[in-house]
PDB file of all heavy atoms in Angstrom:
ATOM      1  N   ASN A  85      90.467  82.521  89.024  1.00  0.00           N
ATOM      2  CA  ASN A  85      89.596  83.272  88.109  1.00  0.00           C
ATOM      3  C   ASN A  85      89.948  84.749  87.971  1.00  0.00           C
ATOM      4  O   ASN A  85      89.076  85.571  87.670  1.00  0.00           O
ATOM      5  CB  ASN A  85      88.121  83.113  88.501  1.00  0.00           C
ATOM      6  CG  ASN A  85      87.664  81.679  88.423  1.00  0.00           C
ATOM      7  OD1 ASN A  85      87.997  80.977  87.473  1.00  0.00           O
ATOM      8  ND2 ASN A  85      86.940  81.224  89.427  1.00  0.00           N
ATOM      9  N   VAL A  86      91.192  85.106  88.184  1.00  0.00           N
ATOM     10  CA  VAL A  86      91.642  86.485  87.979  1.00  0.00           C
ATOM     11  C   VAL A  86      91.767  86.726  86.480  1.00  0.00           C
ATOM     12  O   VAL A  86      92.226  85.867  85.739  1.00  0.00           O
ATOM     13  CB  VAL A  86      92.993  86.728  88.688  1.00  0.00           C
ATOM     14  CG1 VAL A  86      93.586  88.066  88.310  1.00  0.00           C
ATOM     15  CG2 VAL A  86      92.810  86.632  90.188  1.00  0.00           C
ATOM     16  N   GLN A  87      91.323  87.911  86.051  1.00  0.00           N
ATOM     17  CA  GLN A  87      91.370  88.260  84.640  1.00  0.00           C
ATOM     18  C   GLN A  87      91.984  89.643  84.458  1.00  0.00           C
ATOM     19  O   GLN A  87      91.865  90.507  85.337  1.00  0.00           O
ATOM     20  CB  GLN A  87      89.961  88.256  84.042  1.00  0.00           C
ATOM     21  CG  GLN A  87      89.288  86.910  84.098  1.00  0.00           C
ATOM     22  CD  GLN A  87      87.849  86.973  83.628  1.00  0.00           C
ATOM     23  OE1 GLN A  87      87.378  87.989  83.137  1.00  0.00           O
ATOM     24  NE2 GLN A  87      87.138  85.873  83.779  1.00  0.00           N
ATOM     25  N   LYS A  88      92.613  89.835  83.312  1.00  0.00           N
ATOM     26  CA  LYS A  88      93.186  91.131  82.974  1.00  0.00           C
ATOM     27  C   LYS A  88      92.101  92.198  83.044  1.00  0.00           C
ATOM     28  O   LYS A  88      90.969  91.979  82.597  1.00  0.00           O
ATOM     29  CB  LYS A  88      93.787  91.077  81.565  1.00  0.00           C
ATOM     30  CG  LYS A  88      94.492  92.334  81.159  1.00  0.00           C
ATOM     31  CD  LYS A  88      95.146  92.198  79.805  1.00  0.00           C
ATOM     32  CE  LYS A  88      95.819  93.499  79.426  1.00  0.00           C
ATOM     33  NZ  LYS A  88      96.563  93.394  78.180  1.00  0.00           N
ATOM     34  N   GLY A  89      92.439  93.341  83.636  1.00  0.00           N
ATOM     35  CA  GLY A  89      91.499  94.454  83.751  1.00  0.00           C
ATOM     36  C   GLY A  89      90.766  94.522  85.083  1.00  0.00           C
ATOM     37  O   GLY A  89      90.166  95.549  85.396  1.00  0.00           O
ATOM     38  N   MET A  90      90.812  93.440  85.868  1.00  0.00           N
ATOM     39  CA  MET A  90      90.165  93.472  87.188  1.00  0.00           C
ATOM     40  C   MET A  90      90.889  94.486  88.065  1.00  0.00           C
ATOM     41  O   MET A  90      92.104  94.662  87.967  1.00  0.00           O
ATOM     42  CB  MET A  90      90.205  92.097  87.852  1.00  0.00           C
ATOM     43  CG  MET A  90      89.351  91.065  87.162  1.00  0.00           C
ATOM     44  SD  MET A  90      89.505  89.410  87.915  1.00  0.00           S
ATOM     45  CE  MET A  90      88.452  89.613  89.350  1.00  0.00           C
ATOM     46  N   LYS A  91      90.136  95.160  88.934  1.00  0.00           N
ATOM     47  CA  LYS A  91      90.722  96.136  89.853  1.00  0.00           C
ATOM     48  C   LYS A  91      90.622  95.611  91.281  1.00  0.00           C
ATOM     49  O   LYS A  91      89.616  95.006  91.659  1.00  0.00           O
ATOM     50  CB  LYS A  91      90.024  97.480  89.727  1.00  0.00           C
ATOM     51  CG  LYS A  91      90.324  98.151  88.412  1.00  0.00           C
ATOM     52  CD  LYS A  91      89.737  99.536  88.339  1.00  0.00           C
ATOM     53  CE  LYS A  91      90.085 100.146  86.988  1.00  0.00           C
ATOM     54  NZ  LYS A  91      89.419 101.421  86.795  1.00  0.00           N
ATOM     55  N   PHE A  92      91.681  95.856  92.036  1.00  0.00           N
ATOM     56  CA  PHE A  92      91.763  95.411  93.417  1.00  0.00           C
ATOM     57  C   PHE A  92      92.156  96.562  94.325  1.00  0.00           C
ATOM     58  O   PHE A  92      92.931  97.436  93.926  1.00  0.00           O
ATOM     59  CB  PHE A  92      92.805  94.298  93.560  1.00  0.00           C
ATOM     60  CG  PHE A  92      92.360  92.978  92.982  1.00  0.00           C
ATOM     61  CD1 PHE A  92      92.558  92.696  91.650  1.00  0.00           C
ATOM     62  CD2 PHE A  92      91.733  92.039  93.783  1.00  0.00           C
ATOM     63  CE1 PHE A  92      92.151  91.488  91.108  1.00  0.00           C
ATOM     64  CE2 PHE A  92      91.320  90.821  93.251  1.00  0.00           C
ATOM     65  CZ  PHE A  92      91.528  90.544  91.918  1.00  0.00           C
ATOM     66  N   ASP A  93      91.620  96.541  95.541  1.00  0.00           N
ATOM     67  CA  ASP A  93      92.051  97.462  96.582  1.00  0.00           C
ATOM     68  C   ASP A  93      93.230  96.806  97.297  1.00  0.00           C
ATOM     69  O   ASP A  93      93.178  95.610  97.601  1.00  0.00           O
ATOM     70  CB  ASP A  93      90.937  97.716  97.600  1.00  0.00           C
ATOM     71  CG  ASP A  93      89.738  98.436  96.997  1.00  0.00           C
ATOM     72  OD1 ASP A  93      89.897  99.099  95.956  1.00  0.00           O
ATOM     73  OD2 ASP A  93      88.639  98.343  97.573  1.00  0.00           O
ATOM     74  N   VAL A  94      94.261  97.572  97.565  1.00  0.00           N
ATOM     75  CA  VAL A  94      95.411  97.068  98.311  1.00  0.00           C
ATOM     76  C   VAL A  94      95.253  97.543  99.756  1.00  0.00           C
ATOM     77  O   VAL A  94      95.097  98.741 100.009  1.00  0.00           O
ATOM     78  CB  VAL A  94      96.743  97.584  97.711  1.00  0.00           C
ATOM     79  CG1 VAL A  94      97.917  97.019  98.487  1.00  0.00           C
ATOM     80  CG2 VAL A  94      96.839  97.227  96.227  1.00  0.00           C
ATOM     81  N   MET A  95      95.287  96.582 100.683  1.00  0.00           N
ATOM     82  CA  MET A  95      95.020  96.881 102.090  1.00  0.00           C
ATOM     83  C   MET A  95      96.188  96.447 102.965  1.00  0.00           C
ATOM     84  O   MET A  95      96.810  95.420 102.726  1.00  0.00           O
ATOM     85  CB  MET A  95      93.765  96.134 102.556  1.00  0.00           C
ATOM     86  CG  MET A  95      92.523  96.360 101.720  1.00  0.00           C
ATOM     87  SD  MET A  95      91.869  98.038 101.793  1.00  0.00           S
ATOM     88  CE  MET A  95      91.374  98.146 103.495  1.00  0.00           C
ATOM     89  N   ASP A  96      96.450  97.246 103.992  1.00  0.00           N
ATOM     90  CA  ASP A  96      97.395  96.878 105.043  1.00  0.00           C
ATOM     91  C   ASP A  96      96.565  96.835 106.318  1.00  0.00           C
ATOM     92  O   ASP A  96      96.337  97.863 106.950  1.00  0.00           O
ATOM     93  CB  ASP A  96      98.517  97.901 105.143  1.00  0.00           C
ATOM     94  CG  ASP A  96      99.594  97.498 106.136  1.00  0.00           C
ATOM     95  OD1 ASP A  96      99.524  96.379 106.681  1.00  0.00           O
ATOM     96  OD2 ASP A  96     100.522  98.298 106.359  1.00  0.00           O
TER      97      ASP A  96
END
Side-chain angles (χ1 to χ4, degrees):
N85 298 317
V86 171
Q87 298 174 7
K88 184 176 179 175
M90 292 176 79
K91 291 185 180 173
F92 287 87
D93 295 338
V94 181
M95 306 293 295
D96 185 5

